[in-house]
Structure formats: C-alpha cells, structure tokens
Amino acid sequence: MARHAGVSTTTVSHTFSGKGVVAAATRERVRATAKSLGYRPDVVARGLRSNRLGILALVLRPLETLDSSLPEGVDYFLRFAGSAALAAMDFGYGLMLVSDPTREESPAAALACDGFLITEPVTDDPLIEMLLGEGVPFLSVGKDPARAAYDNWIDTDTELMTDLVLQHLDDAGATRVALVAGTDPNSWNLGAEAAYRAWAEARDQDPLVAHRPETTGESGGREAADELFDRSDPPDAVYCLTGRHAAGVLARVRERGLDIPGDVQIVGGSDSEHTRSATPPITSVDLQPELLARVAVTQLVNRLDDLDRPVPPGKLHGRLIVRNSTRTS
C-alpha cells in the first residue's frame, strides 16, 4: 500500500488514524490508492492499539424482560435508539445496540466499545457493577435504585411527571385514583409508585396499586382492571405506567359497561400506538426519547472526549398529551 502510493508506512498510518501531519494532497493520494487497491484499514485493531474504537454501546434494559426486542405497538425504544445513533454520528462515533454483556448469551463483541449507555437500570444492576469495577465509562438514563455511590446518570424526574399526571386527574375531577405499575425493579416503577403513594397519603386516600409484569401487555392491563374494579370501592381514574397496560385497562373497563371518561379516566405513562389508537384515545406521557437520547449521548461523549459541548436543552420528564380518555372541562 505505502509503496503504491509512494509514501512511508507512517504516512499511511497517519492518513487513516488522523494523527500526525499529512499534507492534504498526500492524504488524498493515499486514500485514492487505497480505494484502487481495495484496501481497508483494520479499524478494530487500530482502535485497540489506541484504546479508542469510536463505538458506543447501547443497552435498553427494559427489553431484557419483554417478550420481544420489537414489542408490538411500542415505539419508545426505536425512537431512543434511532436518535442515539444519529447523535453519536454527529460526534464521530458509531452506536452498537447490544444485550447485557454480563449475560452468557450476549455477543462477544458487546464489550468492543468506548463507553456504554444504559436505559432504566434495575436494582443492583449487574452491568453497572461490572462497569464500575472495570472502570469502563458509562451513563445511565435513570439510576440504579440501590446505588448512591455513582453520579453518571440522567435524572428523568419520574416523581415530578407522576405528580403532573395526578394533578391533571385531580383537576379533571377524579377523586379516587389507582396506579398500575410494572414489576421491573427500576427507578421508573419505584419512583412513580413512591410519588403516587405520597400523593394519596396527602389526600387521605388509601393507595390502590396493581402490579403486572411489563411483558403481560394488554392482557396484564385487563387483569389489573379486574383487580381494581372488583373492589367495593373502585377507582374513578387509573394511571398505567405502560401504554399496553393502559390499553388493556381501557378495553376491560368498557367491557364492564363503564364510560370513558365519564365513569373512569385513564392515563398512560408511556405514549405508544396502543394509547394513540385506542377508543377513545388515551391521555399519555410522551417521554420524549429523542431528546433523552441526544442528551445522554452528548454527556457520554463529552466525558470520553474530555470536552464540554453544550447539552441539548429541554425538560427530561416528558410532556403530557391530553386526549379523550380524561376530562378537560
């Protein structure tokens, strides 16, 4: 390669690594020669030698417990991953979506990266334990609820968003609000339930909480509705943390002959195709995964590059989209 281009091997190395000083004309000649010869630099080997691969790994922790990596009707993960990939490209990085590398079935290449993004880590998350132990840079969206000793995480203000939802229901005339939460032990479920219980206590209401695994989807929402509405003191509003559970609750409540929103108001904690296409459409929280992803990528690459690039502005707790499943007057 160097002989064909009429340069030294050092010049070839500097051309493709970006290190050293190479005249523009020489750099173009080296690249043209490489293209004509079909030469491609070994970016993995080069990255290993320089301790930099230019790759970020993304672990979407909630997918580990769902029934599919493409859960039907749930677009949060696609929106987050797509935005993260594009943001990484803007900073000269690639993004690799992987499963938790502490699991035996995870691909061997899962650790071939410069840093990790982890969404919604669980209590005593094994990946965070490994990364902290090995000194691998990472950033989590949401905090490992069991760890107080790390600060490289983004606060999504779950408690604040929960309060905003409950205030919306209170303003809409609800007097007895129930919560349907998932079972993954992450800050999303735990923080929302803690905020709900504090809200109920402040209003002298006994908390009404139904737990269903995220993987149960709409059927889990139907089961939760039966649990809540078989009571002698059923709720007149339900806040479901997942869109699939919200759609299931709505369907079951209507089967019971109750009117939405006249008899029961429903809010979904994560907007999805289920909430948008329900009849009536369900008031939901748009968690704004595109913004979250851009903020997370910017903060992580700033750490990797030891730079202070501006972080995209915006509130990270999401925004409430009011639809016909709640009363607006």
Side-chain angles (χ1 to χ4, degrees), residues 63-249:
L63 291 182
E64 305 283 348
T65 57
L66 290 179
D67 49 336
S68 168
S69 294
L70 288 170
E72 182 181 355
V74 180
D75 54 20
Y76 173 88
F77 304 110
L78 288 173
R79 291 169 63 190
F80 188 100
S83 182
L86 294 174
M89 287 178 62
D90 282 343
F91 296 120
Y93 285 82
L95 184 79
M96 176 172 60
L97 180 60
V98 297
S99 58
D100 177 3
T102 67
R103 299 172 58 181
E104 290 185 1
E105 62 269 28
S106 183
L111 289 171
C113 66
D114 301 313
F116 276 84
L117 285 177
I118 309 163
T119 67
E120 294 83 39
V122 296
T123 299
D124 289 318
D125 197 291
L127 177 54
I128 289 181
E129 176 74 19
M130 182 191 77
L131 298 177
L132 286 172
E134 296 294 330
V136 177
F138 74 92
L139 184 75
S140 66
V141 178
K143 190 174 186 179
D144 179 337
R147 299 179 193 276
Y150 83 99
D151 58 5
N152 41 330
W153 61 287
I154 291 177
D155 187 356
T156 56
D157 283 328
T158 297
E159 293 83 356
L160 173 60
M161 190 70 246
T162 302
D163 287 341
L164 292 175
V165 169
L166 296 172
Q167 186 61 55
H168 169 71
L169 290 170
D170 188 48
D171 292 343
T175 60
R176 187 164 175 76
V177 181
L179 175 72
V180 177
T183 56
D184 287 352
N186 54 36
S187 59
W188 166 245
N189 283 321
L190 300 177
E193 182 170 346
Y196 164 78
R197 289 183 179 277
W199 182 88
E201 182 179 2
R203 286 157 179 74
D204 294 323
Q205 175 195 309
D206 291 333
L208 294 176
V209 182
H211 296 98
R212 289 296 182 280
E214 284 80 354
T215 190
T216 57
E218 289 191 50
S219 64
R222 288 173 175 271
E223 293 172 1
D226 286 337
E227 177 182 335
L228 294 171
F229 287 89
D230 280 343
R231 300 174 55 99
S232 60
D233 54 349
D236 61 1
V238 184
Y239 179 34
C240 303
L241 295 186
T242 77
R244 297 200 296 178
H245 283 162
V249 168

Side-chain angles (χ1 to χ4, degrees), residues 11 13 18-19 46 57 61-62 116 146 201 205 243 281 304:
T11 298
S13 176
K19 296 180 178 180
R46 187 177 73 228
R61 173 61 77 195
F116 276 84
E201 182 179 2
Q205 175 195 309
L304 293 173

Side-chain angles (χ1 to χ4, degrees), residues 307-319:
L307 294 173
D308 190 24
R309 303 179 183 92
V311 176
K315 297 179 179 179
L316 302 183
H317 57 64
R319 62 188 181 95

Side-chain angles (χ1 to χ4, degrees), residues 31-55:
R31 291 187 180 278
T33 302
K35 183 177 181 180
S36 68
L37 294 174
Y39 169 81
R40 298 182 64 187
D42 189 342
V43 294
V44 173
R46 187 177 73 228
L48 293 174
R49 289 194 297 271
S50 65
N51 294 321
R52 181 60 59 90
L53 289 168
I55 297 293

